[in-house]
Every structure is written in C-alpha cells, then in structure tokens.
Amino acid sequence: MVTLLDRVRAHVLADFASADSAHDIHHLDRVATLAGDIAARLGADPLTAQVAAYVHDYHRVEEARQGRRPIRPEEARTAILDVLVRCEVSQELHETILHAVEQTGRYRFGGDDLDSEDLIAAAVHDADNLDAMGAVGIGRAFAFGGVLGEPLWDPRAQLKELYEEGETSSILAHLYEKLVQLEKDMLTEPARRMAAERTFQLHRFAAEFRSQWGKENTLSHPGGTRVHWDPHTRFLSVAQPGPDDITVTRVGFRGRVTVALDDQGQPVEVDLLGAPEVLTHCVPQAQRPRTWIAHVGGEWLLDAEADVLWISIREASVHRRLTAVGDIEVQLREGRLAALQLHLLEDVPVSVGGEGAP
C-alpha cells in the first residue's frame, strides 16, 4: 500500500535528483525521521512534521532553477503548494506545513524571531538544524562549501557578528558563524539534548582542524608551552612539548572554565572547575594562591579544596578573569596532562580588578 508519505517522498525524490549532496534526498530523509520523532515526543502529529520536512528545502530547487543564491524558504511557497496538491495532502494542513517550512530559514543569531508555540514548526526547525551539526553537519558544510568555492579557512578574515545566509569567508568560518550557534536556537527539549553532543563534536573537530592547520598566532612561553588564544571564536589551545610517538589519551567533557588574561588579553592561567577524576588524579595537589598574579608557568596542578584543576601558563599579573561553560578536550601522554583544547560557550560577565582583588 502506497502511503501519503510514500507519495510525497517519491515526488520530492524526482525534484531533488540533481541536488547538491548537502541538500539531497538523504538530508531530507534524516530531517523527516528526526522531525517525526521530535513531534511524537511533543504530542504533535509526526506525519505532518515529516511531510513538512520533505518539502522544507524547495528553495534550494529554486536557487538552481533561477541561478541565484540565497533564496528564502518562503519564496518557494508556490512550488511547495504544488507538491502538496499533487500528493493529495489535506488542504487543512497546507498552512501548518508552509509555516513550518518558513521557520527553517530563521535564526535568533541572525536577528529573526522564532515560533516555539507551533509544535510542528518547532519539530521541523530543530530537526533541520540538528542535521547541520555533528559529524554529518561537518560533512555537509564542506560539501556545500566546495559547491560555493569557499576556502577551507582564512584565519585573517573577521567573523560575521550577525549571521546571514550566503557565502562566507571560509568553510570553518561557517562552522563558527552558524553551526555552533544552532544549539542555542533549539526550540524543543528533545532537540536540546541531542544538540549538546553534536555541538561538542563540532568544537572537537574545529580544535583539531586548527591544531593541524599550522602556526596560527601561537605564542611560545618559558618551558616550551605553546598557547593559542582567539577571542573571536573563544578557542584556546595550550600544549606542552613532548615526543610525538607516544600514545595520546583524549578526555572530552563540557564544564565550567575560567581563563585569566593579562592586560594584553593573553592567557596566563586556566581553571577547569569540577574536572573529571580521570584528569585530577594525574596532577599533584597544591594550594592555589589567592591573588591576581600567576606565579609559576608551565604547571598543571590541582587545588583540591576549591575543586579546580589549575593550569598556570606563565608568571604575569592578571588583568581580568573570563568565566564560561566550555567544550573541553584534554590530552594525556603516558598518564600526564600534555595539552588542552577548548571552546568557550556562554560567557559569564567579566570581573575586572588588580592584584589582591577578590
């Protein structure tokens, strides 16, 4: 028996036969599955969410037909209505589906308003965004960046402060400007839970990409500690020298971080608050100085009383401390902490003061 969803998918498959691999039928299948699952968890109709998911990218068909980019989802309204009529989708569902499609092209970090009350729209919106995250999202970003002819990464280019559709300075810039922002845009609780893990995957990939890219404003400090800090993407890398032929153990987690900066905005200390035991048992304990001066450089210590894994990069006066939640990966070589890579997420207001400040 041919179902309504079978008819819609077959029609869409024909229209998307020549679509780019980032917006092909496989993308639509994944979004439809996710949207149906999220809708069911919310108590909404999963079939309506799945139909909306299958037609949500018809603006991509219009982009190919008209030879211009970007085209907004709402500009494909006529093409979507044609599909719904041909596939005999109940007219009562047309506006619900069209509204859901329009929501997929909107982002709070792009200055748009989102409708969290319409459960079908919320389910489709979140499902589409989830497919832009994690391992598949990374693959799709590089596939579509290749279509647009974008470079892999340009460290000199400024990131857009307000996201807008269209070409950007590089594929990795797109990851920072859009993909890692999607977690904050999730409208449903089921999607929020999935988004946290997929965001961590994005950050882990970006950190590894940048470590392999080359010397990107990396500073060397006494003891050979190499540090790279990018305040625009909130990316921090701290690495101690060591042989490359030793097996590396990686420990990843999301946690609270404090980065102490000097008056030039460069890191002098990093605190990992509540780090997992697999890390804390690898470092010696020491009482943390209660001043705004980092006294020892190149040390990884544990302040057990404060439950802080304390990384002192160099001796310097602390001008301010930046506290945030971060996606963190620590590398161990032969049981010793050797490297740290992290991306700060939501920043807490900065405290400013001098030596002796509380």
Side-chain angles (χ1 to χ4, degrees), residues 109-120:
F109 53 88
D112 298 324
D113 293 325
L114 294 176
D115 181 2
S116 60
E117 300 299 322
D118 187 317
L119 298 184
I120 298 297

Side-chain angles (χ1 to χ4, degrees), residues 168-188:
T168 187
S169 60
S170 69
I171 300 170
L172 198 67
H174 177 71
L175 183 148
Y176 282 117
E177 291 170 352
K178 180 181 180 182
L179 305 191
V180 299
Q181 307 293 334
L182 294 174
E183 181 182 0
K184 295 181 291 186
D185 252 19
M186 293 296 158
L187 302 175
T188 68

Side-chain angles (χ1 to χ4, degrees), residues 90-230:
S90 172
Q91 189 172 353
E92 294 178 355
L93 299 178
H94 288 188
E95 285 303 320
T96 297
I97 292 170
L98 290 169
H99 179 63
V101 170
E102 291 175 4
Q103 290 292 302
T104 62
R106 297 179 181 175
Y107 310 96
R108 290 193 187 104
F109 53 88
D112 298 324
D113 293 325
L114 294 176
D115 181 2
S116 60
E117 300 299 322
D118 187 317
L119 298 184
I120 298 297
V124 177
H125 170 273
D126 286 1
D128 187 36
N129 284 349
L130 284 168
D131 201 56
M133 305 170 69
V136 168
I138 293 167
R140 291 181 62 220
F142 279 84
F144 196 52
V147 170
L148 299 178
E150 295 175 347
L152 297 181
W153 175 228
D154 181 358
R156 300 164 299 176
Q158 290 292 320
L159 298 179
K160 298 176 183 176
E161 294 186 7
L162 190 67
Y163 175 73
E164 57 184 22
E165 291 282 1
E167 295 184 22
T168 187
S169 60
S170 69
I171 300 170
L172 198 67
H174 177 71
L175 183 148
Y176 282 117
E177 291 170 352
K178 180 181 180 182
L179 305 191
V180 299
Q181 307 293 334
L182 294 174
E183 181 182 0
K184 295 181 291 186
D185 252 19
M186 293 296 158
L187 302 175
T188 68
E189 188 56 37
R192 291 187 191 102
R193 291 194 294 270
M194 287 184 277
E197 174 60 26
R198 296 191 185 202
T199 301
F200 188 90
Q201 292 170 5
L202 292 173
H203 279 138
R204 172 176 282 182
F205 170 82
E208 196 62 31
F209 183 101
R210 296 176 74 159
S211 71
Q212 295 178 23
W213 180 261
K215 294 183 178 179
E216 182 198 332
N217 298 322
T218 299
L219 300 178
S220 296
H221 296 292
T225 301
R226 299 185 303 275
V227 179
H228 171 62
W229 165 243
D230 181 358

